[in-house]
Amino acid sequence: MKTIDELLAEGVAGKRVFVRADLNVPLDGTTITDDGRIRAVLPTVAKLAEAGARVVVASHLGRPKGAPDPAFSLAPAAARLGELLGADVAFATDTVGASARAAVAGLADGRVAVIENLRFNAGETSKDDAERGAFADQLAELADVYVGDGFGAVHRKHASVFDLPARLPHYAGYLIATEVGVLKKLTTDVQRPYAVVLGGAKVSDKLGVIDHLLERADRILIGGGMAYTFLKAKGYEVGSSLLQEDQIPAVQEYLRRAEEKGVEFVLPVDVVVAPAFPDLKSKAPAHPATVAADAMPEGQMGLDNGPETNKLYASKLADAATVFWNGPMGVFEHPDFADGTRAVAQALVDSPAFSVVGGGDSAAAVRILGFDENAFGHISTGGGASLEYLEGKTLPGLAALED
C-alpha cells in the first residue's frame, strides 16, 4: 500500500485530503475521558496541514442508529483536535449536507475541518453495497485524495473505510502504517518466548484469536471475566461470576490442544471476589475478599486476579521476548479490583520484551492507572482490529488501501 510519505512527496498543497480517522473517544457527557485516539492521528493531520493540504477529518463515535443523536456528536473531539493542533478546526454539523460542503469549501490551505459522526448516516454501516456506495459517492465529492488512518475501524466493511478508498487516490496514514508494522512482529518472525495475555468479559470474543495463537504462542495467560469459563471448564465452582456455559466445550478443547502442542495455558490460582458487581460511579467500597480459584464461595462474584496470580503472571512475563496483551484482568475502573490489571501492566514495563497493548480497555487501563505510555513497545488504537489481524482475517480497511 502507498503511504502518506509518498503522497507528501507528490505534493498536497491546495488539495482536499479526506482523513478517515478514529476519533471514537469515551465521553462523560461532552467531556472526553481519554483522548488517546485523537493524539494517535495527530501526526498525520498535522503533517498534511503543514504541507498545505485542506484536511477533512471524518470518524464515527459510538453506535448511533443511522440518524443524528447529540449524545454521539463529534463536536468534543473536533474541539480537542484543535487544542492539540494549536489551530482552529472547523466543525460541520452534518456528514455530506450543506454544513459539510460549506466547511470544506471554506478551508484555506493548511486548515482542518471535522465533519459530523459518519454513523449519523445509515449508508455508513449498511450491509447493502448500493446504499454504502451511494454514501461513499457523496463523501468522495468532499475530497481529492483519501488517507486511511483509523486503525480502530479497519475491520469494518463500512462506506468510509472500504468503499471510499476505491473512489479516490488512497494512501495509508502514519498510524495505520505503524500499527500494521507492529502486528507483523506478532505474526511473522516473532521473537520468542512469545507470551499472550487475554482478558475482558467474554471468552466468546476471544475464541478466534485463541485458536490462531495456539499455533504461534508459547504461553497464554487468561484473566478477566472470561477466566471463569476456563475455571469452570476445569471443574471448579465459580459462584456468581460471569460465565458462558455454552463455551465450556470449546474451552476444554483449547486446553486439550494446548497441552498437546506444548503451549502453556496459565489460569488464575486465586481471585478477588465480592457479593455483587461494584458501583463504578461512586467507587464505594465493595467488600472484597481473596479466595483460591478452586474454592470460590457460592454467591460471590470473581472480579479480579488475586495477589498470588499477580506474582505468577509477572513471573511468566519476565523472560518473554514478545508480549501481546488484550483485555483487563478485572474491573479496573474500581480501586478494589484494579490490582490484577495494574500487575500485568507493571510486568510489561519491567520486562525487556517487545510489548504490545492491544487497544480498547487495555489501552484505557494503562492511562487510567497512570502508566507512562512510552514504557510499552506499542499501544494499539484498535482492540477489535488487532484481534482480527491476529486471527489471520482479511481486514476490509487494509485491503481497500492496497493497490
Side-chain angles (χ1 to χ4, degrees), residues 228 270-274 288-291 301-307 336-337:
Y228 302 99
D270 63 344
V271 295
V272 181
V273 300
T290 300
V291 300
M301 178 181 294
L303 295 164
D304 196 15
N305 288 347
D336 288 344
F337 308 106

Side-chain angles (χ1 to χ4, degrees), residues 25-213:
V25 291
L27 293 172
D28 181 3
T30 59
T31 301
I32 296 170
T33 57
D34 180 359
D35 67 356
R37 284 177 169 163
I38 301 174
R39 288 185 286 111
V41 78
L42 196 64
T44 291
V45 174
K47 197 72 174 179
L48 287 166
E50 288 169 12
R54 302 177 182 190
V55 187
V56 182
V57 179
S59 175
H60 70 287
L61 192 151
R63 297 178 181 270
K65 298 179 179 179
D69 183 338
F72 297 106
S73 175
L74 276 176
R80 180 58 179 151
L81 178 62
E83 291 173 1
L84 292 169
L85 286 169
D88 290 336
V89 168
F91 180 66
T93 56
D94 57 27
T95 56
V96 291
S99 180
R101 292 193 298 271
V104 174
L107 283 176
D109 292 1
R111 308 303 288 184
V112 179
V114 174
I115 63 174
E116 186 55 285
N117 191 337
L118 292 164
R119 292 185 182 175
F120 286 1
N121 189 303
E124 169 68 359
T125 59
S126 175
K127 290 188 166 95
D128 181 83
D129 290 349
E131 186 178 8
R132 260 195 350 268
F135 183 48
D137 287 339
Q138 291 177 293
L139 291 172
E141 293 176 5
L142 300 176
D144 306 304
V145 180
Y146 178 93
V147 171
D149 215 29
F151 180 75
V154 293
H155 58 314
R156 306 296 188 191
K157 192 177 181 181
H158 291 170
S160 66
V161 175
F162 179 74
D163 302 271
L164 183 56
R167 289 157 168 78
L168 295 169
H170 46 268
Y171 303 80
Y174 291 123
L175 175 60
I176 279 186
T178 298
E179 294 272 14
V180 171
V182 166
L183 288 171
K184 284 182 177 177
K185 291 184 180 180
L186 300 178
T187 52
T188 58
D189 195 26
V190 179
Q191 297 297 304
R192 297 185 179 280
Y194 179 17
V196 177
V197 186
L198 296 175
K202 295 181 179 180
V203 67
S204 56
D205 294 340
K206 304 291 197 304
L207 289 178
V209 75
I210 292 172
D211 184 68
H212 205 65
L213 288 168

Side-chain angles (χ1 to χ4, degrees), residues 130-364:
E131 186 178 8
R132 260 195 350 268
F135 183 48
D137 287 339
Q138 291 177 293
L139 291 172
E141 293 176 5
L142 300 176
D144 306 304
V145 180
Y146 178 93
V147 171
D149 215 29
F151 180 75
V154 293
H155 58 314
R156 306 296 188 191
K157 192 177 181 181
H158 291 170
S160 66
V161 175
F162 179 74
D163 302 271
L164 183 56
R167 289 157 168 78
L168 295 169
H170 46 268
Y171 303 80
Y174 291 123
L175 175 60
I176 279 186
T178 298
E179 294 272 14
V180 171
V182 166
L183 288 171
K184 284 182 177 177
K185 291 184 180 180
L186 300 178
T187 52
T188 58
D189 195 26
V190 179
Q191 297 297 304
R192 297 185 179 280
Y194 179 17
V196 177
V197 186
L198 296 175
K202 295 181 179 180
V203 67
S204 56
D205 294 340
K206 304 291 197 304
L207 289 178
V209 75
I210 292 172
D211 184 68
H212 205 65
L213 288 168
L214 281 173
E215 306 294 331
R216 289 161 178 80
D218 297 301
R219 61 187 72 128
I220 301 174
L221 287 61
I222 301 293
M226 64 185 283
Y228 302 99
T229 301
F230 277 87
L231 293 172
K232 185 71 171 180
K234 289 178 69 71
Y236 301 163
E237 291 304 317
V238 296
S240 59
S241 307
L242 184 63
L243 175 65
Q244 289 186 285
E245 291 265 12
D246 61 324
Q247 301 299 333
I248 288 176
V251 166
Q252 290 173 329
E253 174 62 14
Y254 286 146
L255 291 172
R256 185 197 67 76
R257 281 176 55 199
E259 185 174 3
E260 182 181 90
K261 292 178 176 296
V263 176
E264 188 179 7
F265 243 107
V266 189
L267 301 177
V269 295
D270 63 344
V271 295
V272 181
V273 300
F277 196 85
D279 185 331
L280 298 184
K281 286 194 173 180
S282 72
K283 304 289 196 298
H287 309 293
T290 300
V291 300
D294 61 355
M296 289 186 64
E298 186 176 343
Q300 293 286 309
M301 178 181 294
L303 295 164
D304 196 15
N305 288 347
E308 293 305 313
T309 301
N310 294 341
K311 293 176 189 174
L312 172 64
Y313 284 19
S315 72
K316 296 296 182 181
L317 298 173
D319 68 340
T322 304
V323 180
F324 174 71
W325 171 31
N326 180 278
M329 298 294 98
V331 186
F332 71 92
E333 301 92 339
H334 192 285
D336 288 344
F337 308 106
D339 285 350
T341 302
R342 184 182 289 108
V344 167
Q346 187 63 54
L348 296 192
V349 170
D350 294 340
S351 169
F354 174 67
S355 57
V356 178
V357 181
D361 286 340
S362 312

